[in-house]
């Protein structure tokens, strides 16, 4: 693939969220620093062509400061097809979630505890301390800065989120916090999916066909090694998962300070573990987080390349609800994706 082709895709553009009505969703995401952008509609027959859903659609794109990735598309289906993943375990095939950086994880925990006190349906973990980079560095508590993150899971009927706060370090291009927002959070810095594929064959699609940059590979997290990983992914003793990450090609494998947000996390469980499959609850038409999009340059070339790969299904290129050239496909691992032409 040429250099021009490699840079034709960017980081994760949108997390698409199926909702029954927009007002409460807009109010919620405004607390995280998002604001209303474009709005658009599709008739049921066009929505079926692009998303496989026989329902008319109204969508609202939410922006976050001047971010070119990690945006939100609220999708109001006239006839939703599924209630979505809701607060189901993160340890399922078909799982989707979105992660944001925050400057005040304890304030978000305050809201979680208030919500639980009035009976709202919420699952969460406490903010675990995790050392992500330079793990072999010897800690000198109370003498040198603590370098790591506090990481917390928040599951609600229409939102599956991980929130993290950094301590002792910064990454200039990995999440820009909106300090004017009530919850002081960034755009979505990374999103995730769960697969089972011991051969790692399905991972090649993201690197070789989509042209993403593979930056971390075969990073193992076990019940014993990570209290946060154990709690977030409901690990049992002896269980583990393996992480591979794919970035915007403008990111860097070797220079941490050049790392860009918009990352795709693929959590791979060994095939020996019996995982429930919930793909039908996390695709367009479903409520909650049900679709991810990428923005690309040269959409016809991408469509041709994807059709020639091992994908399960590809739509024709048509105009989406925002007037953008777009098409959808089901990747070899079973996840539904949509690409749209960068303006």
């Amino acid at each position: 693939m040429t250099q021009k082709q490699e840079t034709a895709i960017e980081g994760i553009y949108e997390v698409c969220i199926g909702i029954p009505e927009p007002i409460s969703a807009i109010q919620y995401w405004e607390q995280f620093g998002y604001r209303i952008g474009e709005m658009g509609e599709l008739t049921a027959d066009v929505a079926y062509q692009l998303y496989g859903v026989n329902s008319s659609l109204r969508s609202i794109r939410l922006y976050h400061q001047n971010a070119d990735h990690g945006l939100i598309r609220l999708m109001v289906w006239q006839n939703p097809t599924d209630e979505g993943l809701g607060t189901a375990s993160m340890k399922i095939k078909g799982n989707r979630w979105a992660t944001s950086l925050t400057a005040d994880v304890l304030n978000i925990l305050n809201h979680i505890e208030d919500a639980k006190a009035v009976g709202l349906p919420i699952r969460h973990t406490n903010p675990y301390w995790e050392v992500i980079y330079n793990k072999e560095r010897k800690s000198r508590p109370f003498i040198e800065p603590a370098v790591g993150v506090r990481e917390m899971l928040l599951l609600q009927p229409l939102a599956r989120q991980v929130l993290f706060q950094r301590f002792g370090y910064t990454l200039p291009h990995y999440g820009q916090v909106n300090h004017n927002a009530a919850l002081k959070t960034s755009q979505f810095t990374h999103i995730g999916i769960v697969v089972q594929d011991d051969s790692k064959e399905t991972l090649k699609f993201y690197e070789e066909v989509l042209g993403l940059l593979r930056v971390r590979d075969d990073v193992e997290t076990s019940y014993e090694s990570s209290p946060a990983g154990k709690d977030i992914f409901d690990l049992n003793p002896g269980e583990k998962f393996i992480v591979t990450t794919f970035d915007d090609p403008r990111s860097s494998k070797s220079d941490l300070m050049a790392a860009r947000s918009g990352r795709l996390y693929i959590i791979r469980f060994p095939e020996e573990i019996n995982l429930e499959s919930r793909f039908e609850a996390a695709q367009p038409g479903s409520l909650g987080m049900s679709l991810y999009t990428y923005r690309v340059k040269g959409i016809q070339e991408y469509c041709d390349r994807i059709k020639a790969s091992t994908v399960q299904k590809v739509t024709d290129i048509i105009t989406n609800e925002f007037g953008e050239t777009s098409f959808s496909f089901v990747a070899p691992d079973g996840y539904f994706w949509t690409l749209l032409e960068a303006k």
Side-chain angles (χ1 to χ4, degrees):
M1 205 180 291
T2 67
Q3 184 63 28
K4 183 179 178 185
Q5 287 172 324
E6 285 179 355
T7 56
I9 192 166
E10 301 170 355
I12 290 292
Y13 186 52
E14 298 162 302
V15 173
C16 302
I17 306 172
I19 55 171
E21 55 82 22
I23 293 175
S24 58
I26 291 167
Q27 289 175 333
Y28 178 80
W29 291 110
E30 281 177 341
Q31 308 311 303
F32 293 86
Y34 284 89
R35 68 181 189 279
I36 295 173
E38 294 103 332
M39 301 186 195
E41 298 184 4
L42 287 181
T43 61
D45 60 332
V46 180
Y48 186 78
Q49 290 177 59
L50 185 56
Y51 302 116
V53 183
N54 188 19
S55 167
S56 60
L57 170 67
R58 287 188 299 132
S59 289
I60 304 159
R61 181 173 283 149
L62 304 184
Y63 285 95
H64 197 284
Q65 300 179 110
N66 63 351
D68 64 358
H69 66 279
L71 310 184
I72 291 174
R73 189 189 308 193
L74 300 175
M75 304 180 84
V76 188
W77 298 99
Q78 185 178 19
N79 300 303
T81 56
D82 193 280
E83 288 296 307
L85 295 173
T87 59
S89 171
M90 296 279 281
K91 190 183 171 184
I92 53 174
K93 288 182 286 188
N95 185 20
R96 296 181 188 264
W97 71 96
T99 301
S100 302
L101 172 67
T102 178
D104 194 352
V105 75
L106 276 182
N107 188 36
I108 296 172
L109 181 60
N110 294 342
H111 284 273
I112 290 170
E113 294 191 353
D114 281 350
K116 289 177 70 177
V118 297
L120 295 182
I122 280 182
R123 284 181 63 185
H124 76 101
T125 68
N126 285 320
Y128 282 100
W129 176 248
E130 284 278 295
V131 177
I132 297 176
Y133 302 108
N134 202 7
K135 291 190 176 193
E136 61 285 343
R137 171 180 171 267
K138 279 203 166 179
S139 170
R140 298 184 68 201
F142 302 105
I143 305 299
E144 294 178 351
V147 180
V149 299
R150 284 279 170 185
E151 186 176 33
M152 176 174 65
L153 176 69
L154 169 57
L155 300 179
Q156 298 179 84
L158 299 175
R160 299 169 67 81
Q161 296 166 262
V162 173
L163 299 130
F164 71 102
Q165 182 173 354
R166 292 191 190 116
F167 295 88
Y169 75 104
T170 59
L171 295 180
H173 308 297
Y174 205 99
Q176 300 299 318
V177 170
N178 185 341
H179 289 278
N180 294 320
L183 299 179
K184 293 183 170 51
T185 40
S186 73
Q187 77 274 44
F188 291 137
T189 57
H190 48 277
I191 54 94
I193 59 178
V194 168
V195 304
Q196 283 187 299
D197 178 7
D198 290 353
S199 71
K200 301 202 291 184
E201 279 299 308
T202 56
L203 300 184
K204 293 179 181 177
F205 174 80
Y206 296 98
E207 184 173 30
E208 297 175 3
V209 180
L210 290 188
L212 298 169
L213 182 70
R214 192 186 294 222
V215 290
R216 298 172 71 200
D217 206 1
D218 292 339
V219 179
E220 191 173 292
T221 298
S222 68
Y223 175 94
E224 291 74 20
S225 70
S226 171
K230 174 183 76 174
D231 207 357
I232 290 172
F233 286 95
D234 294 329
L235 296 181
N236 295 316
E239 289 185 342
K240 66 178 182 182
F241 59 81
I242 300 104
V243 178
T244 300
T245 61
F246 292 94
D247 277 13
D248 179 325
R250 297 171 295 175
S251 193
S252 173
K253 289 185 178 186
S254 55
D255 181 3
L256 183 61
M257 289 299 112
R260 286 178 177 262
S261 51
R263 178 173 290 177
L264 166 63
Y265 268 73
I266 298 183
I267 306 291
R268 193 160 45 86
F269 278 90
E271 291 175 11
E272 67 192 31
I273 297 178
N274 184 24
L275 288 194
E276 182 184 1
S277 179
R278 294 289 307 277
F279 286 104
E280 78 292 340
Q283 60 188 9
S286 302
L287 296 180
M289 292 180 172
S290 48
L291 174 65
Y292 303 139
T293 73
Y294 277 113
R295 194 164 59 162
V296 299
K297 294 173 184 169
I299 198 163
Q300 184 64 60
E301 180 191 337
Y302 268 92
C303 190
D304 294 344
R305 196 189 304 164
I306 287 167
K307 280 181 177 175
S309 74
T310 57
V311 292
Q312 300 182 24
K313 187 190 217 175
V314 188
T315 73
D316 291 331
I317 296 175
I318 64 172
T319 301
N320 72 6
E321 59 267 43
F322 302 120
E324 300 157 333
T325 308
S326 186
F327 74 96
S328 300
F329 60 91
V330 177
D333 55 24
Y335 284 88
F336 195 109
W337 293 85
T338 296
L339 301 190
L340 54 109
E341 179 80 65
K343 293 177 181 176

